[in-house]
Amino acid sequence: MLPPRLIEELAKGKCVAFVGAGFSMGAGLPGWRNLLQDMLVYAGREGVRLGDREAIQSSIEAGDLLPAADELRERLGRDRFQRFMTSRFRSAELRPTNAHLALTDIPLSGIITTNYDKLIETAYTLRRGISPPTFTHEKYPEMAATLRDGGFYILKMHGCVDDIQSLILGTSDYKRLMQTNSALATFLTSVFLNRTILFLGYSLNDPGLVSLLDHLKGSYFEYSPRTYALAPEGALSSLRSRRIAADHGIEVITYRPSTPNHPELNLLLQQIADGANTLKCDSGRENPFTPAGSLAQDIRDWLQIGRAHV
């Protein structure tokens, strides 16, 4: 069952989605670990001198990703790094998934994403006919205007593939992002204090985000932000789920995927959209987000057909 408070906050226009790499994996894009593994293979093909390749490989396998990312980006150099990232995140074959399209039906007040790709923007363009205001962590005036005006926006917190210099990948990038970018810290603090957050496709291990949540929890205690996360069953242990709730105040909403494409996530997103938009209409609020009932029905039909053949 969906938390009623989440639906209410969405209907009021007080919810921001925080979208991570898992949300784009259905489109064929890699998660962080696989991205670094691909980068290591690419470096080998390009004849890049890596020094201790085995140490980088071991670091990736052990999940110690920040130093591996720093080493690979430094060794590749700007031009090769740009070519690699462009080939991965600007491929002509990339298309928004049903989850991206369903996201556009949810009456969010904004989207913050750590993804480099442009699938969210493309989904909005396809479904709405226009691309929403989009900016990276470096665009201080846009951040200030968003806080002041309260309009819908997409913040690409780790940068955009169209601007290689904006990409956040390793330790040095994270330091630059969270320690020297006071405008971003102010923006995120304001969003997390004034909006309900819905995490989608996010591992909840981002160093900058964990630091921010810890700060807010320590400073505001029971008044810290209300946050939710959608996650497939088995992605988090019961202990991890309890600690996420206790330490960061995040309520995890689980679903059981039947295939690697997670059609249940698409259906769940559409149910969230339908519930929030219905509540908006019932309350007499203006509803600029028209639910795409056909998409929801297509997903339900697909699931029913799939079960019938099991």
Side-chain angles (χ1 to χ4, degrees), residues 232-233 255-265 299 302-304 306-307 310:
E233 289 183 0
Y255 62 92
R256 181 176 298 175
S258 58
T259 73
N261 288 330
H262 293 212
E264 289 77 12
L265 173 60
I299 295 171
W302 190 93
L303 287 173
Q304 192 62 40
R307 294 190 182 103
V310 173

Side-chain angles (χ1 to χ4, degrees), residues 208-219:
L209 177 66
V210 169
S211 176
L212 175 63
L213 290 174
D214 286 345
H215 168 71
L216 294 174
K217 185 75 171 177
S219 299

Side-chain angles (χ1 to χ4, degrees), residues 53-211:
R53 179 188 177 92
E54 289 74 21
I56 298 175
Q57 180 68 59
S58 297
S59 182
I60 294 173
E61 291 174 356
D64 192 14
L65 304 180
L66 286 172
D70 279 324
E71 187 71 11
L72 284 167
R73 183 168 186 171
E74 181 180 306
R75 294 285 183 169
L76 283 175
R78 176 184 169 86
D79 290 344
R80 284 195 182 97
F81 178 71
Q82 180 169 0
R83 288 199 297 272
F84 171 79
M85 297 299 283
T86 299
S87 70
R88 288 296 183 277
F89 294 98
R90 283 193 63 82
S91 170
E93 286 75 34
L94 280 179
R95 296 289 185 276
T97 65
N98 281 339
H100 287 97
L101 296 174
L103 184 64
T104 69
D105 292 323
I106 300 176
L108 297 161
S109 60
I111 295 175
I112 299 173
T113 180
T114 55
N115 296 347
Y116 309 131
D117 62 74
K118 303 182 70 175
L119 293 174
I120 296 175
E121 301 96 300
T122 301
Y124 272 90
T125 300
L126 290 172
R127 297 297 290 272
R128 306 291 170 198
I130 58 173
S131 182
T134 304
F135 52 90
T136 68
H137 56 87
E138 297 178 329
K139 303 299 183 181
Y140 311 137
E142 286 85 346
M143 279 190 267
T146 297
L147 285 177
R148 183 175 60 250
D149 300 335
F152 180 81
Y153 63 90
I154 297 174
L155 167 61
K156 302 180 80 68
M157 197 173 90
H158 285 181
C160 180
V161 67
D162 286 347
D163 181 6
I164 294 297
Q165 286 300 104
S166 72
L167 298 188
I168 302 298
L169 186 68
T171 306
S172 58
D173 295 327
Y174 275 100
K175 288 180 178 178
R176 172 168 56 91
L177 178 68
M178 299 308 297
Q179 294 180 9
T180 65
N181 193 335
S182 59
L184 177 63
T186 299
F187 181 87
L188 291 176
T189 299
S190 177
V191 169
F192 274 73
L193 287 178
N194 291 284
R195 293 289 184 266
T196 292
I197 305 298
L198 175 62
F199 290 103
L200 301 169
Y202 205 78
S203 68
L204 305 175
N205 291 322
D206 183 291
L209 177 66
V210 169
S211 176

